[in-house]
């Protein structure tokens, strides 16, 4: 019976929905034109066991400052009328360069002590997308994802081939040792001693995958995600971050989503696409869709983590089932929000 | 207005649906218990430009015979009360060993003249899944996908790491040259001369990605897919076949799907998941969901290909937007269907 009521609720929700149809159709955007902010942007720096009081004041201030800097880099572009894709990339590039986050320099180390980076990017206007998995030399993996989207016929490139593609595209390359920090070496040593694969937050180091979602003045959505994956990962493990539909999804028909958490569960639940699918097919609003996926689908399986999302009306959702998530958001004409701990 | 009518239709569809809720709930299965066949199985060997009359009689007979053999291998297991996962694997193993299909031995060649294989597997009961991308030595990539699902904490392993994992799991390994056939060498030479990436069907060689979906006597669903990708692929290109949600998806709450076609479009549309999501969230039946994805979502983008699917009631859908798709299906107590060309 419970299932029948849920079906009825879904069906009634669908009767009131406005976000139905194909991406980019004018009717969707017109419906929301009056109330929509000129732009909206949200970013995350990972979700995990970040208990209030677990960070000292200096560390907490450093995270807040890095999140503010990344948010400002993206907002500057949106405020000048730039595209959602450019804003997402600008915010992620700042976090990839920061050693605080598990992306670009300062990413976690594999079982072999190297860095293998994943990133993906999606554009809501035409559902175009690009991604790389397991690159070892690209300073900004999110720029490699963009190059795959714009300058190749493919969506996903992996391993040495992806590094070679980045070199052919003249992207900035670094030696793999440049990405490695002492903090990550110590983290790997502890993981090797305990012989287990760690999520980047499991051991209290509280550093995570980064991502950004944006709505621009033209009404276009975009989403991007970048990560080093799991400490002590082996066998060429690929998580959800470079996978369209799992870690990243964007469609102008509904929303843009970037996810962070225990990637295997996010793949099995096609988390980023599922938030958008619940809007498109079941008529849920953004907040309800994000809550359902994070708390009702992921949590019962043991899938810890969260999502950030922005919809075609400029609504923002920052949802997690973990004690904390590094996150920030801003909408045109409003004060930015920067937060670390849960509600 | 058209979009509004579509929304209303979706909502009304939802009122009549029975497949709502989480995978594996007893209520879903009980509702269909009376009409459900004891088992159902469908397989494909790829979709593409397979015009009637383009195959000579001997070639056509060889394909029909290979499809019959693969179908029989899967059906034998289901008839004896075996699991959907075992049936899917049995059917795919036969096609991986056949040189006729673009999977396992006889797979297409990369730009470098080597074989790189992808496969994925998903179980509808608990949404568990496993996949490998870019393996070069595993005789049966679908068995490597199963090992990832059952014997690792991960869902997707890629590249040399995935080969190493398969070796540690004692799977059968072959030298890369064992996979290469003269026919594929000639196909690559033609592609290199024309300097383009070919889908495995673009040049009339009419050989394709393989997949299988099954419903077993316990009411559990499973889906699997295996491929060599695109002739002349470069830069470690990964298509939809090893990606959960794109090439493969299964949930007891709705259906099991395996896709074949121009992988980039299938990734961007999260095709396999989308068929199931339209059943779960919009109340469509299996045939309508498959038709909508293949004809209304993929075709307008230029995404040629098809899907095979079976739902939790034992309905089977074999849908394509190409002139042909190698396919076969059977339900308990019914005659098997084997087909190549479109309707």
């Amino acid at each position: 019976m419970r299932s029948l009521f849920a079906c009825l609720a879904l069906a009634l929700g669908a009767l009131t929905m406005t976000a139905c149809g194909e991406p980019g159709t004018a009717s969707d955007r017109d419906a929301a034109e009056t109330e929509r902010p000129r732009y909206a942007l949200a970013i995350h720096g990972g979700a995990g066991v970040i208990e209030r009081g677990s960070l000292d004041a200096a560390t907490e201030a450093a995270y807040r400052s890095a999140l503010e800097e990344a948010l400002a880099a993206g907002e500057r572009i949106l405020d000048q009328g730039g595209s959602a894709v450019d804003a997402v990339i600008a915010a992620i590039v700042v976090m990839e360069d920061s050693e605080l986050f598990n992306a670009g320099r300062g990413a976690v180390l594999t079982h072999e002590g190297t860095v293998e980076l994943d990133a993906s990017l999606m554009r809501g206007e035409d559902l175009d997308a690009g991604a790389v998995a397991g690159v070892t030399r690209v300073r900004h993996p999110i720029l490699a994802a963009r190059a795959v989207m714009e300058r190749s016929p493919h969506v996903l490139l992996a391993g040495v081939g992806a590094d070679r593609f980045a070199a052919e595209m003249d992207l900035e390359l670094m030696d793999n040792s440049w990405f490695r920090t002492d903090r990550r070496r110590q983290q790997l040593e502890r993981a090797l001693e305990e012989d287990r694969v760690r999520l980047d937050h499991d051991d209290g180091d509280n550093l995570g995958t980064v991502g950004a979602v944006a709505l621009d003045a033209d009404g276009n959505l975009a989403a991007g995600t970048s990560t080093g994956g799991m400490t002590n990962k082996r066998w060429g493990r690929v998580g959800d971050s470079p996978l369209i539909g799992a870690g990243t999804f964007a469609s102008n028909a509904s929303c843009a989503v970037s996810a962070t958490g225990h990637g295997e569960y996010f793949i099995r639940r096609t988390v980023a696409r599922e938030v958008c699918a619940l809007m498109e097919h079941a008529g849920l609003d953004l907040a309800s869709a994000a809550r359902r996926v994070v708390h009702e689908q992921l949590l019962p399986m043991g899938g810890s983590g969260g999502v950030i999302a922005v919809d075609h009306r400029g609504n923002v959702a920052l949802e997690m089932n973990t004690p904390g998530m590094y996150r920030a958001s801003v909408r045109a004409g409003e004060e930015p929000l920067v937060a670390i701990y849960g509600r």
Side-chain angles (χ1 to χ4, degrees), chain A:
Chain A
M1 275 312 280
R2 195 158 154 267
S3 153
L4 178 63
F5 278 121
C7 289
L8 284 169
L10 277 182
L12 293 173
L15 284 168
T16 63
M17 84 206 224
T18 59
C20 190
E22 292 302 287
T25 55
S27 61
D28 303 340
R29 294 208 296 274
D30 293 350
E33 210 69 56
T34 48
E35 49 184 282
R36 199 183 81 201
R38 199 163 67 84
Y39 61 79
L41 174 68
I43 64 172
H44 69 79
V49 183
I50 319 170
E51 305 277 5
R52 207 176 287 272
S54 67
L55 302 179
D56 62 44
T59 307
E60 187 176 317
Y63 275 106
R64 287 186 172 273
S65 164
L67 289 167
E68 280 163 13
E69 189 193 339
L71 192 74
E75 186 179 10
R76 206 172 302 126
I77 287 167
L78 294 171
D79 190 42
Q80 292 166 358
S83 75
V85 166
D86 285 339
V88 160
I89 287 173
I92 290 176
V93 158
V94 170
M95 293 187 280
E96 285 178 339
D97 274 343
S98 165
E99 292 183 20
L100 294 172
F101 304 106
N102 176 21
R105 179 159 162 79
V108 300
L109 303 186
T110 66
H111 186 70
E112 290 78 20
T114 62
V115 164
E116 290 183 5
L117 304 167
D118 306 331
S120 62
L121 180 70
M122 188 162 188
R123 183 163 65 193
E125 194 178 0
D126 56 5
L127 303 180
D128 209 356
V132 290
V135 294
T136 60
R137 297 168 58 207
V138 186
R139 178 169 176 180
H140 294 118
I142 193 69
L143 296 180
R146 175 180 214 153
V148 173
M149 179 172 90
E150 295 179 348
R151 301 168 65 190
S152 91
H154 302 309
V155 169
L156 175 57
L157 304 181
V160 290
D163 273 320
R164 209 178 307 134
F165 171 78
E168 288 186 33
M169 297 298 119
D170 284 328
L171 295 183
E172 189 175 4
L173 302 182
M174 311 300 281
D175 190 84
N176 196 261
S177 62
W178 178 83
F179 295 99
R180 303 176 208 157
T181 59
D182 286 341
R183 189 174 186 177
R184 296 306 191 182
R185 283 194 195 92
Q186 292 156 13
Q187 207 176 353
L188 174 62
E189 277 163 26
R190 288 197 301 275
L192 288 170
E193 279 165 20
E194 295 168 26
D195 190 28
R196 67 188 192 92
V197 177
R198 291 165 182 274
L199 261 184
D200 49 5
H201 298 296
D202 277 0
D203 58 357
D205 270 0
N206 301 328
L207 310 168
T209 293
V210 309
V213 293
L215 169 72
D216 65 28
D218 294 329
N220 289 318
L221 290 165
T225 309
S226 181
T227 193
M230 295 167 114
T231 296
N232 197 22
K233 69 183 177 185
R234 299 175 68 178
W235 304 314
R237 178 258 183 187
V238 178
D240 62 316
S241 300
L243 303 187
I244 297 303
T248 300
F249 195 82
S251 169
N252 282 5
S254 50
C255 63
V257 181
S258 171
T260 172
H262 197 142
E264 277 72 12
Y265 296 96
F266 285 62
I267 295 172
R268 291 162 56 193
R269 281 287 184 182
T270 58
V271 161
R273 170 59 194 160
E274 182 71 356
V275 174
C276 297
L278 284 168
M279 291 187 71
E280 292 171 29
H281 303 323
L284 267 62
D285 62 30
L286 181 73
S288 305
R291 272 199 304 269
R292 182 176 302 183
V293 171
V294 171
H295 299 286
E296 294 173 35
Q297 296 187 355
L298 284 169
L299 194 58
M301 300 171 86
S304 60
V307 300
I308 58 166
V310 56
D311 72 10
H312 61 302
R313 296 176 166 197
N315 296 304
V316 171
L318 310 166
E319 201 64 47
M320 62 206 160
N321 60 33
T322 46
M325 177 165 75
Y326 298 106
R327 60 201 187 276
S329 67
V330 65
R331 308 202 307 169
E334 297 180 13
E335 279 300 301
L337 165 91
V338 178
I340 299 177
Y341 310 108
R343 279 163 295 194

